[in-house]
Amino acid sequence: VYTPGQTYAFSVTVRHTGRSLFGFDVESLNSAAIVTGTLNVTDAVHTQIKLPSNGRRNIVHTFNGGLHADSMVFNFSWTAPAAGSGPVTFYYTGLAADASTTTSGDYAYKGNNLVLNESVCAPPAHPSAISASSFSPCVGANVTYSVASQPDATSYTWTTPSGWSGSSSSNTITLVAGTTSGTVSVVANNGCGTSPAATLSVAPESI
């Protein structure tokens, strides 16, 4: 499976004992044979992008970029498309040649197509109720607020009343209580979005 927008490292190995020149060709298409995702060069010595007249985007070997005894590994990357793109099929071929001026003794291979399905991407669920070390802290006192850790959250964003100080990107935050009443709120984040907010009304006590 792939996560929309993520970039993945790929390698293609072409192997044939006794051959000294290798090549390859890869393209990524959706079910309508339209280019989906972006193939990227990560090794410009051995690979390059070709843009055929049919509008596709292929990554292939460079001239003599596959000179190697018995086998060659071609490395590149692929950036997944936006959410909602659906399954992506990678079509690939390989070439093993003897570096002569004729095609005699050369071999072309067609690999089994690789299909990647889109992962289901969803923002984190609503955080649990906010717990507090004190619900009516004294002005200037430290007070800790927290929610239960969520396995699908990568960070948390806290909002605090005006005049209160402290920050955190985890599921726990320690604040210095200010003089104003208000609301402490938190949302959970991941690469797919942001949860609804959990909130807690707070009212500091003057010393």
Side-chain angles (χ1 to χ4, degrees):
V1 298
Y2 69 85
T3 299
Q6 294 294 309
T7 297
Y8 299 88
F10 278 74
S11 65
V12 171
T13 301
V14 186
R15 180 180 294 109
H16 191 119
T17 302
R19 295 299 176 266
S20 58
L21 182 62
F22 298 89
F24 83 113
D25 186 338
V26 172
E27 60 183 359
S28 56
L29 308 175
N30 65 12
S31 59
I34 296 172
V35 172
T36 306
T38 304
L39 293 162
N40 311 299
V41 171
T42 58
D43 176 7
V45 173
H46 302 103
T47 67
Q48 62 181 325
I49 295 296
K50 287 292 186 181
L51 302 173
S53 58
N54 61 5
R56 294 182 180 177
R57 178 185 176 93
N58 296 39
I59 191 162
V60 302
H61 54 278
T62 56
F63 180 73
N64 283 340
L67 277 173
H68 198 272
D70 299 328
S71 68
M72 182 65 191
V73 179
F74 298 97
N75 297 301
F76 57 97
S77 70
W78 176 74
T79 302
S85 298
V88 179
T89 301
F90 292 82
Y91 299 88
Y92 57 99
T93 57
L95 174 68
D98 57 11
S100 68
T101 57
T102 70
T103 58
S104 176
D106 298 344
Y107 296 84
Y109 305 96
K110 178 181 181 297
N112 294 323
N113 299 330
L114 171 67
V115 179
L116 294 183
N117 292 309
E118 181 179 349
S119 64
V120 177
C121 192
H126 193 293
S128 65
I130 299 174
S131 62
S133 59
S134 173
F135 290 97
S136 297
C138 294
V139 173
N142 290 334
V143 57
T144 299
Y145 300 95
S146 63
V147 292
S149 179
Q150 295 173 248
D152 56 349
T154 56
S155 67
Y156 296 81
T157 302
W158 291 87
T159 302
T160 62
S162 175
W164 293 48
S165 61
S167 63
S168 173
S169 60
S170 75
N171 63 310
T172 298
I173 188 171
T174 298
L175 301 174
V176 177
T179 59
T180 59
S181 300
T183 300
V184 172
S185 67
V186 61
V187 295
N189 312 299
N190 64 17
C192 300
T194 298
S195 73
T199 62
L200 178 69
S201 294
V202 294
E205 293 185 353
S206 300
I207 298 176

